[in-house]
């Protein structure tokens, strides 16, 4: 299926064919039609030839699909979709039949208890289903020889329940080349002339998490406007697309759109269709008893307060339970205020206990007393409700406890050993999207799959395995993290942390072919890590430093590089893949990079205005240009496929003045400077905000023999007329990139050191620059030229007043029994993280017994140093426990730090803004030379990203300085 992509000038150049040679195009085509497509993370079902294997499709026809006439409607619908999928892939449509008559080979689909044909196979001992019998949502796939009289061979797909059968069907669709996102992200199917199924295939799949789903939330203006335009309302026609996607992703659970809608009331067919599809419906964490919040606005009488209006609320909930009795549902218990606010009655635990008791009575009355503990019920411990639990409120053991994150992807609490014994078990409510403080984030994907893995692995380890539900906002553009979250929910054990990078590659290969898969994986990892370390809504001109470590330039260049790589791939892709690539890769990468470039330009505009540079207005123009590009990218997206996704990217995201989003994107404030008509010299030096001729002590950052070898001076014009400046040094060991400098607007002068001429120890010199006006500038240069004994150098060496180390670059480690530090690839703000595994209930009070990482370091100075530890922003998820680490340099006693000692709102807000917790310790280092820095983990989930030792020269920045050189 071809897709047209209407391009504005912003991206039109990408369509140029100059990069596509005939040979490259042929290789691309071969990659697209490769017979080795398979479901993400699963072993392949397909074979490369017919030799001994089952031929699903040959050059003439496709095998018939046989399904019992008594099969359930949802399974029949899925079988029809399989019929359609095979035709999309091969251009040959299989017949869909209810009998075996006249077929030598076939595909048999059936559900235990609903298919007589499957029952016959089991009775004849042709099919052993003992592994999936009575297993929730399980399915089995096998090739069976001589399954019936006159049938030579069959591909059999059997489910333990209707969902299991549908999962098996859609797994086959994915195996042959139909992405779960074929409709929702326009991923084209992989064309094949023939399909062969491996004769040895024997698949048994049983989910590890019972209820796995998404929450459509924060859905206006983007999703709501799209739904209104395409469907009129959140009706069955819309939800049919959602339900099919969920099944193709092996999900079974949905909290529906609810901001201005009510699922069961908006369209009576919604609930009927959900049940046919096998999607278990519920209502969000603050909507009790299968009644949407907006239904109270429509039908409720009196205030939403149980202490004042119990009769009307009770009847309202009775009606909800009665309406949903025929359908598979999970009943949310408890009560919050309307529109997801705390209860107006305050922290009245007794009242809330009565509410839950009355809701249980309703369930007992509607379903029967014998069904009370069998009807799924959940209590969401969201925000202040968790406080009720911590202060002693309890619900019956059969109720699922739904623990929640902090709305920023950090799980607040998990079950204790005693809580793990509860019959109802536990689950997790997670967020990819949020409206609330310290700032709403609703526009684009800002979560990395490594972060999801780290947190949800904790949940699974501590038996929070009944429900995994994630707030996905408008659904698009969260396709990538949604798939990882649901894939991990199906089987967390199939995705150990070591496979995190593999997931990205396999995802890219399935969607776009093998040729670009590794590069696409790198782009996805890069842009999501960037957005996680500072969400676009939280970025501003002050985020990344303009003065230190060239941080703003490095981060902006990093993101621009990802864009260039994505654009290169886009230009090489066949036309049919471009719409999908634009949605899934190019747009989020480009849009994210554009935001960072915009704030970088704004920061320069502000800095240069303060310095009175003639280029001030150039950066104001750049801000306006990038602001316009953001709008153009949005329109680009909305024009895809003739406007299929119109409105989907319309969430405002620029111009926040408080926690919630502005009504429209707002151009950031820029400053204007009007240069005069003469020439006038100004000089700015690296690391200093003010500029000459403003009075000040202008000293370049210190040069160390092992440190940064080049510093920058910018000679700029404050007027319009160009001028010539000259520069000279007071010492022969200061090297200038030029001494005669022509300045129109701004010219860069690089400064370095000739260490062969420099004196040993500390020394100073100056650079004198003259140009226009009455005087000249004198710039100080300071060096530290310590004698270097390269044989003594070991580990990370001090330079520029600090030592910076990525956590994974340890020199050695010590285990404690089976506990040891292990790497979480791609986790954190820079490269990766280290944490102790296996996760468990262990803890240490004596650091000498705890697992440790040890780093070799080398200092050229001595004194009291400050060590900064950058850690994941996790919570103390066990009551009365902390997140403690211990640290020591050489033989000093280990200092114990509890990362969560301060859990104030202000500290938490800063933690989630920056996605990191900082641990600070002071250390006395008595001598220069080689040292050992050792860090211990005393509690599980202490996750280290980076260490920075300030030896006297550390400068403020967002990410900390780049890693030091290792010897």
């Amino acid at each position: 299926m071809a897709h047209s992509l209407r391009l504005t000038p912003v991206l039109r150049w990408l369509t140029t064919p100059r990069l596509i040679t005939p040979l490259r195009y042929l290789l691309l085509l071969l990659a697209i039609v490769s017979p080795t497509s398979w479901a993400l993370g699963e072993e392949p079902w397909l074979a490369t030839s017919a030799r001994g294997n089952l031929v699903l499709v040959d050059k003439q026809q496709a095998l018939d699909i046989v399904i019992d006439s008594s099969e359930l409607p949802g399974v029949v619908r899925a079988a029809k979709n399989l019929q359609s999928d095979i035709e999309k892939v091969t251009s040959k449509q299989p017949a869909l039949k209810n009998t075996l008559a006249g077929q030598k080979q076939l595909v048999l689909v059936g559900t235990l208890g609903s298919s007589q044909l499957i029952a016959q196979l089991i009775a004849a001992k042709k099919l052993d289903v003992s592994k999936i019998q009575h297993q929730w949502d399980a399915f089995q796939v096998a090739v069976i020889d001589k399954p019936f009289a006159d049938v030579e061979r069959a591909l059999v797909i059997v489910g333990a329940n209707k969902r299991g059968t549908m999962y098996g069907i859609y797994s086959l669709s994915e195996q042959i080349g139909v992405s779960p996102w074929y409709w929702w992200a326009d991923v084209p199917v992989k064309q094949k002339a023939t399909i062969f199924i491996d004769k040895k295939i024997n698949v048994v799949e049983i989910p590890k998490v019972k209820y796995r789903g998404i929450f459509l939330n924060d859905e206006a203006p983007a999703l709501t406007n799209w739904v209104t335009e395409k469907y009129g309302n959140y009706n069955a026609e819309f939800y049919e697309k959602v339900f099919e996607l969920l099944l193709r992703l092996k999900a079974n659970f949905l909290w529906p759109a609810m901001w201005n809608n009510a699922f069961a009331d908006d369209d009576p067919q919604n609930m009927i269709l959900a049940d046919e599809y096998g999607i278990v419906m519920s209502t969000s964490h603050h909507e009790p008893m299968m009644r949407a919040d907006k239904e109270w606005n429509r039908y409720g009488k009196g205030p939403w307060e149980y202490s004042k209006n119990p009769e009307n609320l009770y009847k309202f909930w009775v009606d909800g339970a009665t309406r949903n009795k025929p359908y598979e549902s999970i009943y949310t218990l408890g009560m919050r205020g309307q529109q997801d606010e705390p209860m107006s009655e305050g922290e009245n635990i007794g009242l809330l206990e009565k509410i839950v008791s009355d809701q249980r009575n309703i369930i007992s009355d509607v379903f029967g007393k014998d069904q009370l503990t069998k009807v799924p019920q959940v209590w969401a411990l969201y925000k202040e409700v968790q406080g009720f639990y911590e202060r002693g409120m309890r619900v019956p053991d059969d109720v699922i406890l739904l623990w929640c994150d902090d709305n920023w992807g950090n799980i607040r609490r998990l079950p204790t050993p005693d809580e793990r014994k509860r019959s109802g078990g536990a689950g997790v409510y997670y967020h990819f999207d949020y409206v609330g403080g310290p700032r709403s984030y609703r526009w684009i994907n800002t979560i990395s799959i490594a972060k999801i893995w780290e947190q949800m692995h904790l949940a699974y380890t501590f038996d929070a395995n009944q429900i995994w539900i994630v707030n996905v906002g408008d659904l698009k553009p969260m396709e990538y993290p949604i798939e990882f979250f649901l894939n991990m929910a199906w089987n967390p054990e199939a995705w150990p942390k070591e496979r995190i990078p593999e997931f990205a590659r396999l995802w890219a290969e399935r969607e776009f072919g093998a040729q670009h898969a590794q590069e696409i994986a790198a782009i996805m990892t890069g842009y999501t890590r960037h957005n996680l370390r500072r969400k676009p809504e939280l970025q501003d001109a002050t985020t990344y430093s303009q003065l230190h470590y060239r941080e703003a330039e490095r981060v902006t260049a990093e993101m621009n590089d990802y864009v260039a790589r994505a654009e290169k791939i886009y230009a090489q892709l066949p036309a049919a893949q471009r719409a999908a690539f634009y949605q899934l890769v190019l747009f989020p990468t480009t849009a994210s990079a554009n935001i960072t470039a915009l704030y970088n330009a704004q920061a320069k505009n502000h800095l240069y205005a303060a310095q009175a540079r003639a280029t001030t207005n150039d950066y104001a123009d750049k801000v306006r240009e990038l602001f316009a590009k953001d709008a153009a990218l949005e329109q680009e997206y909305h024009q895809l496929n003739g406007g299929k996704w119109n409105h989907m990217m319309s969430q405002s995201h620029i111009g926040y003045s408080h926690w919630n989003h502005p009504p429209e994107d707002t151009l950031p404030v820029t400053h204007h400077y009007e240069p005069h008509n003469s020439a006038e010299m100004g000089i700015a030096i690296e690391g200093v905000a003010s500029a000459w001729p403003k009075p000040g002590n202008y000293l370049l950052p210190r040069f160390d023999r092992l440190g940064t070898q080049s510093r920058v001076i910018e000679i700029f014009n404050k007027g319009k007329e160009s001028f010539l400046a000259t520069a000279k040094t007071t010492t022969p060991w200061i090297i200038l990139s030029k001494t005669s400098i022509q300045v129109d607007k701004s010219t860069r002068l690089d400064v370095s050191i000739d260490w062969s001429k420099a004196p040993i120890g500390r020394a100073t010199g100056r650079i004198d620059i003259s140009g226009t006006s009455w005087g000249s500038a004198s710039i100080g240069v300071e060096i530290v030229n310590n004698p270097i004994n390269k044989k003594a150098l070991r580990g990370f060496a001090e330079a520029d007043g600090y030592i910076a180390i990525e956590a994974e670059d340890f020199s050695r480690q010590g285990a404690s029994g089976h506990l040891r530090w292990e790497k979480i690839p791609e986790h954190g703000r820079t490269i990766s993280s280290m944490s102790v595994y296996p996760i468990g209930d262990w803890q240490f009070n004596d650091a000498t017994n705890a697992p440790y990482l040890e780093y070799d370091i080398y200092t050229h100075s001595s004194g009291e140093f400050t060590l900064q530890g950058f850690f994941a922003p996790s919570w103390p998820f066990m009551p009365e426990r902390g997140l403690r680490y211990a640290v020591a340099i050489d033989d000093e006693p280990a200092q114990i730090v509890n990362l969560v000692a301060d859990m104030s709102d202000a500290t938490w807000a800063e933690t989630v803004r920056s996605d990191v917790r900082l641990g600070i310790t002071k250390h006395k280092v008595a001598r220069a030379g080689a040292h050992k820095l050792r860090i211990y983990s005393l509690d599980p989930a202490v996750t280290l990203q980076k260490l920075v030792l300030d030896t006297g020269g550390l400068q403020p920045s967002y990410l900390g300085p780049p890693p030091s050189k290792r010897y």
Side-chain angles (χ1 to χ4, degrees):
M1 182 171 64
H3 300 273
S4 63
L5 182 61
R6 296 169 56 196
L7 298 177
T8 68
V10 177
L11 295 174
R12 187 175 291 131
W13 69 271
L14 293 176
T15 61
T16 178
R18 67 182 184 274
L19 298 175
I20 304 179
T21 65
L23 176 59
R24 181 174 287 174
Y25 188 82
L26 178 62
L27 291 172
L28 282 168
L29 199 58
L30 288 173
I32 294 168
V33 301
S34 167
T36 56
S37 302
W38 60 78
L40 189 57
E42 295 179 2
E43 291 298 317
W45 301 6
L46 306 190
T48 56
S49 73
R51 190 178 302 111
N53 298 306
L54 183 139
V55 180
L56 181 65
V57 181
D58 62 20
K59 293 182 179 179
Q60 284 75 44
Q61 62 183 4
L63 291 186
D64 293 342
I65 301 170
V66 177
I67 185 167
D68 203 291
S69 58
S70 61
E71 193 51 84
L72 299 167
V75 176
V76 174
R77 183 183 285 106
K80 289 179 179 177
N81 285 343
L82 175 61
Q83 181 186 33
S84 175
D85 289 347
I86 292 172
E87 183 179 20
K88 289 174 187 173
V89 171
T90 67
S91 300
K92 304 175 188 69
Q93 185 184 70
L96 188 61
K97 298 182 176 180
N98 298 124
T99 66
L100 302 173
Q103 300 168 78
K104 294 296 183 183
Q105 297 194 43
L106 53 89
V107 178
L108 175 61
V109 173
T111 307
L112 296 183
S114 296
S115 172
Q116 295 179 9
L117 293 171
I118 294 294
Q120 289 176 33
L121 283 179
I122 296 170
K125 300 191 183 303
K126 297 284 186 177
L127 178 64
D128 180 5
V129 295
S130 58
K131 290 183 179 178
I132 68 166
Q133 189 98 38
H134 309 304
Q135 295 293 324
W136 177 265
D137 286 2
F139 69 91
Q140 186 170 335
V141 181
V143 173
I144 298 178
D145 292 326
K146 301 187 186 314
F148 304 100
D150 300 325
V151 177
E152 295 174 358
R153 181 178 278 183
L155 173 65
V156 177
I157 300 173
V158 56
N161 59 14
K162 61 185 177 184
R163 277 188 298 274
T165 309
M166 290 186 278
Y167 296 146
I169 290 170
Y170 288 126
S171 290
L172 177 57
S173 289
E174 190 179 353
Q175 288 274 344
I176 67 174
V178 180
S179 167
W181 300 98
Y182 80 94
W183 191 87
W184 277 98
D186 302 309
V187 178
V189 300
K190 309 294 191 294
Q191 301 292 324
K192 300 177 179 69
T194 56
I195 301 175
F196 313 115
I197 305 295
D198 191 328
K199 65 181 179 181
K200 297 180 180 178
I201 182 176
N202 185 17
V203 175
V204 174
E205 290 276 357
I206 305 169
K208 303 291 187 182
V209 176
K210 188 171 185 179
Y211 298 104
R212 311 163 304 280
I214 64 173
F215 177 23
L216 297 177
N217 189 226
D218 309 349
E219 62 271 359
L223 181 62
T224 292
N225 288 347
W226 178 81
V227 167
T228 301
E229 178 181 299
K230 305 301 181 184
Y231 300 102
N233 197 2
Y234 286 93
N235 53 32
E237 187 180 1
F238 162 72
Y239 277 111
E240 185 171 16
K241 297 295 186 184
V242 177
F243 297 155
E244 182 186 325
L245 173 67
L246 291 175
L247 290 176
R248 287 182 184 266
L249 294 172
K250 295 192 183 72
N252 63 1
F253 187 48
L254 179 67
W255 285 355
M258 47 66 64
W259 264 33
N260 288 295
N261 290 88
F263 178 81
D265 193 58
D266 289 342
D267 183 350
Q269 290 299 311
N270 281 348
M271 212 47 249
I272 296 170
L273 192 69
D275 197 61
E276 284 188 7
Y277 270 90
I279 301 301
V280 181
M281 295 302 302
S282 188
T283 43
S284 69
H285 57 280
H286 70 100
E287 298 177 297
M289 300 297 289
M290 294 306 298
R291 298 306 301 264
D293 179 79
K294 291 300 175 283
E295 288 188 84
W296 182 255
N297 293 346
R298 297 174 189 178
Y299 308 115
K301 297 178 181 178
W304 180 264
E305 296 181 30
Y306 208 70
S307 60
K308 298 178 181 178
N309 194 23
E311 295 83 3
N312 286 323
L313 281 163
Y314 193 96
K315 183 180 183 305
F316 181 71
W317 293 334
V318 169
D319 291 344
T322 303
R323 179 181 63 193
N324 271 69
K325 182 179 179 180
Y327 311 118
E328 230 180 327
S329 310
I330 300 181
Y331 288 80
T332 299
L333 302 183
M335 189 177 184
R336 292 191 85 216
Q338 275 203 286
Q339 299 182 340
D340 202 14
E341 294 293 330
M343 289 173 58
S344 59
E345 290 98 340
E347 297 183 2
N348 189 335
I349 291 177
L351 176 62
L352 193 54
E353 287 176 332
K354 174 171 175 51
I355 289 169
V356 171
S357 176
D358 286 354
Q359 290 166 343
R360 298 267 292 179
N361 288 337
I362 292 169
I363 292 171
S364 178
D365 291 342
V366 171
F367 287 89
K369 292 182 180 179
D370 61 324
Q371 296 298 308
L372 177 59
T373 60
K374 298 176 183 178
V375 174
Q377 299 154 60
V378 64
W379 185 32
L381 301 169
Y382 183 70
K383 287 191 175 180
E384 82 286 345
V385 180
Q386 181 179 322
F388 299 162
Y389 184 90
E390 304 292 3
R391 289 190 292 277
M393 179 178 169
R394 292 294 182 267
V395 294
D397 268 14
D398 59 280
V399 176
I400 301 167
L401 296 181
L402 189 66
W403 300 103
C404 304
D405 69 357
D406 60 358
N407 302 304
W408 291 74
N410 309 297
I411 298 173
R412 299 170 66 200
R413 176 78 146 73
L414 288 168
T416 65
D418 284 343
E419 289 163 350
R420 288 170 224 159
K421 299 172 185 176
R422 298 177 68 259
S423 59
V428 169
Y429 170 35
Y430 203 70
H431 283 77
F432 296 165
D433 174 290
Y434 178 58
V435 171
R439 185 154 293 178
S440 298
Y441 60 97
R442 302 170 54 188
W443 171 52
I444 207 165
N445 177 28
T446 63
I447 192 86
S448 74
I449 64 171
K451 168 93 170 187
I452 298 168
W453 182 90
E454 183 252 344
Q455 287 291 297
M456 299 314 295
H457 175 74
L458 294 175
Y460 183 67
T461 301
F462 288 101
D463 290 348
N465 55 17
Q466 291 298 296
I467 297 175
W468 283 15
I469 181 85
V470 58
N471 186 328
V472 302
D474 302 315
L475 195 151
K476 294 178 72 68
M478 305 299 179
E479 300 96 336
Y480 182 61
I482 286 171
E483 180 144 16
F484 182 80
F485 182 91
L486 293 176
N487 210 305
M488 189 176 174
W490 181 265
N491 185 4
E493 295 169 17
W495 293 103
K497 59 187 177 302
E498 292 77 13
R499 291 193 73 193
I500 293 171
E502 185 185 359
F503 180 90
R505 180 184 59 78
L506 290 173
W507 175 87
E509 182 175 343
R510 185 195 67 192
E511 308 299 51
F512 304 109
Q515 181 180 3
H516 301 295
Q518 198 64 53
E519 183 73 343
I520 292 171
I523 294 166
M524 297 299 289
T525 299
Y527 103 75
T528 54
R529 173 192 285 138
H530 171 77
N531 282 351
L532 180 63
R533 66 192 178 195
R534 192 73 172 191
K535 297 182 188 299
E537 294 88 343
L538 279 160
Q539 287 186 47
D540 59 32
T542 67
T543 300
Y544 296 109
S545 177
Q546 294 289 324
L547 301 176
H548 305 302
Y549 310 119
R550 301 173 191 174
E551 182 178 60
E553 294 306 306
R554 287 190 295 108
V555 170
T556 304
E558 175 191 35
M559 287 303 294
N560 288 340
D561 178 62
Y562 288 129
V563 172
R565 291 156 71 178
E567 288 173 340
K568 183 178 178 180
I569 294 169
Y570 180 92
Q572 297 176 23
L573 287 176
Q577 291 186 327
R578 288 181 176 175
F581 186 81
Y582 188 84
Q583 293 168 65
L584 297 173
V585 184
L586 183 56
F587 173 83
T589 305
T590 306
S592 301
N594 189 69
I595 290 293
T596 300
L598 181 148
Y599 288 120
N600 184 33
Q602 185 195 20
K604 284 179 168 49
N605 168 259
H606 290 184
L607 177 63
Y608 294 175
Q611 296 174 343
R613 295 200 196 193
T615 53
T616 298
N617 300 339
D618 294 347
Y619 284 94
D621 292 342
K622 186 69 173 176
V623 170
R624 285 189 285 271
E625 174 191 329
L626 295 170
F627 184 75
K629 182 178 178 181
D630 179 88
L633 288 167
E634 178 183 321
Q635 288 306 308
E636 204 92 66
Y637 196 106
H638 290 166
Q639 292 167 8
L640 290 170
N641 293 343
K644 179 179 178 180
W645 302 114
N646 191 29
H647 304 296
M648 271 296 191
M649 288 299 108
S650 58
Q651 174 62 50
S652 57
H653 49 277
I654 304 173
Y656 280 72
S657 58
H658 65 305
W659 67 266
N660 207 1
H661 62 93
E664 291 187 10
D665 288 324
T666 308
L667 181 70
V669 173
T670 56
H671 300 323
H672 183 79
Y673 168 73
E674 187 59 46
H676 51 69
N677 292 323
S678 301
E680 183 180 0
M681 184 173 71
I683 299 174
I685 69 171
E686 183 177 335
V688 179
S690 63
W692 183 91
K694 184 177 180 179
N697 182 24
Y698 291 100
L699 176 68
L700 280 170
R702 189 181 73 193
F703 286 91
D704 285 357
R705 184 71 178 265
L706 300 180
T708 303
Q709 295 301 298
S710 177
R711 301 294 187 185
V712 176
I713 296 173
E714 288 187 85
I715 303 168
F716 61 86
N717 201 341
K718 304 176 78 171
K720 295 179 181 178
E721 184 178 329
S722 64
F723 64 88
L724 182 69
T726 58
K728 60 182 180 179
T729 68
T730 61
T731 58
W733 43 266
I734 302 175
I735 308 300
L736 304 179
S737 59
K738 61 187 79 171
T739 55
S740 180
I741 304 120
Q742 182 65 42
V743 181
D744 294 323
K745 287 189 174 181
S746 181
T747 301
R748 172 177 168 141
L749 178 65
D750 294 311
V751 182
S752 58
I753 304 299
D754 184 345
W755 294 103
S756 65
K757 297 178 181 178
I760 298 300
R762 291 182 177 268
T764 59
R766 303 197 73 80
I767 302 167
D768 292 323
I769 303 174
S770 60
T772 64
S773 192
W774 47 267
S776 62
S778 185
I779 312 299
V781 178
E782 180 184 6
I783 65 169
V784 176
N785 187 16
N786 292 314
I788 303 298
N789 181 354
K790 292 194 174 181
K791 292 183 179 179
L793 276 178
R794 186 172 68 251
F796 293 91
E798 175 191 356
D800 300 331
Y802 69 86
I803 300 174
I805 309 170
E806 292 291 335
E808 69 173 48
D809 293 327
F810 58 91
S811 304
R812 62 198 64 84
Q813 71 161 295
S816 179
H818 65 296
L819 299 174
R820 63 191 302 272
W821 289 81
E822 297 178 5
K823 183 169 79 170
I824 309 174
E826 301 174 354
H827 185 271
R829 305 197 308 173
T830 47
I831 296 177
S832 64
S833 297
M834 299 291 295
S835 195
V836 172
Y837 292 95
I839 294 292
D841 291 309
W842 52 265
Q843 67 175 150
F844 295 90
N845 293 317
D846 182 354
T848 60
N849 297 323
Y852 65 83
L853 295 174
E854 191 169 83
Y855 300 85
D856 290 332
I857 61 174
Y858 192 95
T859 65
H860 299 292
S861 56
S862 59
E864 185 176 73
F865 301 152
T866 300
L867 179 67
Q868 296 180 353
F870 293 70
F871 295 84
S874 303
W875 279 62
F877 51 83
M878 287 289 143
E880 300 180 2
R881 294 275 293 272
L883 288 177
R884 297 169 304 139
Y885 71 95
V887 63
I889 295 179
D890 295 333
D891 296 326
E892 68 175 349
Q895 300 180 48
I896 295 177
V897 179
N898 183 7
L899 288 166
V900 292
D902 178 4
M903 290 296 288
S904 66
D905 288 345
T907 298
W908 168 80
E910 185 53 40
T911 296
V912 296
R913 285 189 191 102
S914 57
D915 199 58
V916 74
R917 288 194 191 276
L918 278 179
I920 307 294
T921 49
K922 301 283 188 181
H923 302 267
K924 290 183 178 179
V925 176
R927 57 172 177 81
H931 304 277
K932 289 181 172 58
L933 190 164
R934 185 178 285 190
I935 188 163
Y936 307 81
S937 179
L938 306 183
D939 292 308
V942 171
T943 303
L944 175 67
Q945 300 179 8
K946 185 174 183 174
L947 293 165
V948 178
L949 186 67
D950 181 3
T951 60
L954 183 67
Q955 299 297 326
S957 65
Y958 185 71
L959 297 174
S964 301
K965 188 173 181 180
R966 191 177 193 177
Y967 295 89

